[in-house]
Amino acid sequence: GIRDHCVTGVQTCALPISGLCARTTLSRAILVSMLLLVAASLAAVPGERLEWTVRWMGIEAGTAWSTVTTNGAGVRVDAGCRSAPWLAKLYPVEDALGSEWRPNVGSSRYFTRYREGDYQRDEDVALSGDPIVARRSQLMAEGWKTWEDRYKGVAGVEDPVSAFYRLREEAGPVGETLRWKVWSGRWPTSVQVVTAAAETWEGRPTLRVEVLAEHRTEDLEPKMTVWLSDDADRVPLAAIVHTRAGPVEVRLAARTVP
């Protein structure tokens, strides 16, 4: 995979997508699966920790986790994911992200740390002002390069975590549609959240929620499905992220609360 240091999330592959060539796509899918599920699960419960397993084509591909803390009057989440040992031998992934926001106000800060094979990149984006300021660093052949990008501010824009955090409190009833503007790296993109159906998942009543993005990316189809427990906790039990390398399944492995 080859990434353009000037464009967030861009990667190309010189061979047809299959096997090892798909590994960069898969690594991104692991991160994005984790990110969206983490976000969908969050509640303002300081100390809550969630852990997931990530599977691709029926094979364990990695694990993910998140923790929630308070940050003054706001909320902060720290999360991470790593590739399974077999995948790490081919393409190690050790990614992390974080978000700070206030409920009903929006995101103030979104930060990521990508460690995927030889690709290493850090970003810290201040979203609450005008302009939006993104400070970025990336490991290049000649060493680390650091730069700053500025974008026009957008009132009420969410980062991916702060946006999908609202699923737990706002998703439902069946048939309801929600729309948010979510920061995509260089501009806000429209995301539609539809509570599609009440279903049973492994014996538990759930709500199936379809997440539809306005645009597709190099790796991801503009659709994701999340199953939330249909109770007061709205626990994210599972999700399927559609990628060009095939569907990636994420399942809740553990939930710890204080």
Side-chain angles (χ1 to χ4, degrees):
I2 303 170
R3 303 219 188 189
D4 184 340
H5 76 277
C6 296
V7 182
T8 300
V10 169
Q11 52 187 325
T12 62
C13 194
L15 301 173
I17 289 183
S18 65
L20 301 183
C21 179
R23 65 185 182 267
T24 51
T25 296
L26 178 58
S27 70
R28 293 292 297 163
I30 290 174
L31 175 65
V32 175
S33 302
M34 175 275 296
L35 184 153
L36 295 181
L37 247 194
V38 164
S41 72
L42 295 180
V45 180
E48 181 182 48
R49 180 179 175 87
L50 300 166
E51 300 176 12
W52 295 273
T53 59
V54 182
R55 300 181 70 84
W56 173 65
M57 305 296 286
I59 303 171
E60 183 179 347
T63 57
W65 57 268
S66 72
T67 58
V68 181
T69 57
T70 55
N71 182 24
V75 178
R76 171 170 172 148
V77 59
D78 291 281
C81 68
R82 63 172 55 90
S83 49
W86 72 267
L87 181 59
K89 294 178 181 179
L90 305 173
Y91 194 79
V93 176
E94 187 79 34
D95 290 342
L97 63 89
S99 172
E100 297 177 357
W101 75 91
R102 290 188 180 186
N104 303 316
V105 175
S107 176
S108 60
R109 183 183 176 212
Y110 178 59
F111 42 100
T112 57
R113 178 182 180 273
Y114 299 111
R115 297 294 183 269
E116 303 178 3
D118 294 332
Y119 177 73
Q120 299 187 33
R121 179 181 172 113
D122 300 332
E123 297 190 7
D124 195 330
V125 185
L127 289 165
S128 58
D130 188 5
I132 292 172
V133 179
R135 296 178 176 84
R136 295 172 168 133
S137 298
Q138 182 167 335
L139 183 61
M140 313 296 285
E142 63 276 14
W144 281 91
K145 177 181 179 180
T146 300
W147 71 99
E148 182 176 288
D149 294 320
R150 293 173 176 259
Y151 308 92
K152 181 174 177 55
V154 178
V157 68
E158 304 278 4
D159 69 57
V161 174
S162 67
F164 287 94
Y165 144 81
R166 295 161 59 179
L167 277 179
R168 189 178 233 177
E169 295 183 352
E170 297 185 20
V174 173
E176 183 177 80
T177 299
L178 304 172
R179 291 180 176 85
W180 303 311
K181 288 292 186 181
V182 182
W183 178 249
S184 66
R186 291 189 297 167
W187 53 75
T189 189
S190 178
V191 173
Q192 179 175 287
V193 179
V194 180
T195 304
E199 299 181 346
T200 299
W201 189 86
E202 295 190 349
R204 294 186 64 173
T206 64
L207 293 175
R208 175 167 56 85
V209 180
E210 303 290 349
V211 182
L212 309 171
E214 184 178 28
H215 303 292
R216 68 175 293 170
T217 70
E218 288 284 329
D219 304 325
L220 299 174
E221 301 293 338
K223 179 180 178 181
M224 172 181 167
T225 304
V226 181
W227 284 267
L228 299 175
S229 64
D230 191 5
D231 55 27
D233 291 332
R234 291 289 177 88
V235 177
L237 301 175
I240 295 177
V241 180
H242 301 276
T243 80
R244 295 179 64 186
V248 175
E249 180 183 0
V250 186
R251 292 193 175 210
L252 185 69
R255 176 176 180 249
T256 305
V257 293

